[in-house]
């Protein structure tokens, strides 16, 4: 039955398994990616495919207004 489920492409307040999000990122054929989160033991974890820290910070800053705008929805 899972093959009949179509992922919603927009913002949602429903939580998803990390595997679903990572699979969607792979399917999106991204050029640059940043992954961050918390391990099950509560440690912060961060990684990206580019070695340019300024580009990573720029992407995170671009995400902030999108996330802040969606908070009221």
């Amino acid at each position: 039955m899972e093959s009949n489920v179509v992922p919603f492409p927009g913002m949602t307040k429903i939580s998803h398994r990390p595997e679903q999000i990572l699979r969607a990122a792979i399917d999106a054929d991204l050029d640059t990616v940043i992954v961050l989160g918390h391990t099950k033991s509560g440690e912060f974890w961060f990684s990206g495919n580019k070695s340019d820290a300024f580009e990573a910070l720029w992407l995170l800053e671009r995400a902030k207004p999108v996330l802040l705008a969606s908070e009221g929805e």
Side-chain angles (χ1 to χ4, degrees):
M1 184 162 150
E2 190 172 309
S3 63
N4 295 332
V5 176
V6 177
F8 179 70
M11 297 290 282
T12 177
K13 293 186 183 233
I14 299 171
S15 295
H16 299 288
R17 293 187 326 272
E19 297 84 12
Q20 290 175 291
I21 303 304
L22 294 172
R23 201 171 300 114
I26 291 168
D27 292 343
D29 195 29
L30 301 173
D31 177 62
T32 306
V33 65
I34 296 171
V35 179
L36 55 102
H38 289 105
T39 65
K40 289 183 180 183
S41 64
E43 291 181 57
F44 177 73
W45 190 91
F46 170 90
S47 187
N49 71 316
K50 303 276 180 141
S51 61
D52 185 345
F54 293 108
E55 184 173 3
L57 182 57
W58 179 77
L59 285 170
L60 292 168
E61 289 295 330
R62 288 201 57 202
K64 279 172 53 174
V66 175
L67 292 169
L68 290 172
S70 71
E71 187 61 31
E73 296 177 6

